[in-house]
Amino acid sequence: MTTAIEPTEILTEIRLPLPLRRSGHAYQKMAQPASGFALVGVAVSLKIDAKGICEEIGIGVTGLSDKAFRAHAVEDRLRGNKFDRQID
């Protein structure tokens, strides 16, 4: 529950790339009712081509291990598959 910022440092800027067409990002968590902190969280970022095929995907999971991890096996399984719903 800490950051890498030192006590004498101030965060002045955060730069994020603009989202690409046909890309999407989502985060879902199962929160601990009293604190609201995530017990388990999953973040997904994906990009599909014009035909609905998954070109790029990244899935991060928190709370199931002592540190966050990428779900590479799930990414590999979904990459190259067609999605029924188009993302604009």
Side-chain angles (χ1 to χ4, degrees):
M1 306 303 280
T2 63
T3 69
I5 296 175
E6 296 295 327
T8 58
E9 296 177 323
I10 296 173
L11 180 64
T12 60
E13 183 177 45
I14 297 175
R15 292 182 182 211
L16 300 173
L18 292 173
L20 303 171
R21 282 188 57 88
R22 294 186 301 276
S23 67
H25 315 278
Y27 174 74
Q28 291 290 313
K29 69 178 180 178
M30 185 173 78
Q32 201 283 342
S35 69
F37 289 119
L39 296 173
V40 176
V42 178
V44 177
S45 176
L46 65 89
K47 181 176 183 288
I48 61 173
D49 67 14
K51 296 179 182 178
I53 305 296
C54 178
E55 289 183 330
E56 299 174 21
I57 187 164
I59 302 172
V61 181
T62 62
L64 294 181
S65 180
D66 58 342
K67 61 181 182 175
F69 64 91
R70 289 274 302 268
H72 293 288
V74 178
E75 294 171 357
D76 293 342
R77 181 71 185 233
L78 294 175
R79 194 176 297 109
N81 285 296
K82 183 171 177 62
F83 284 78
D84 292 331
R85 184 169 170 237
Q86 290 290 328
I87 300 172
D88 295 323

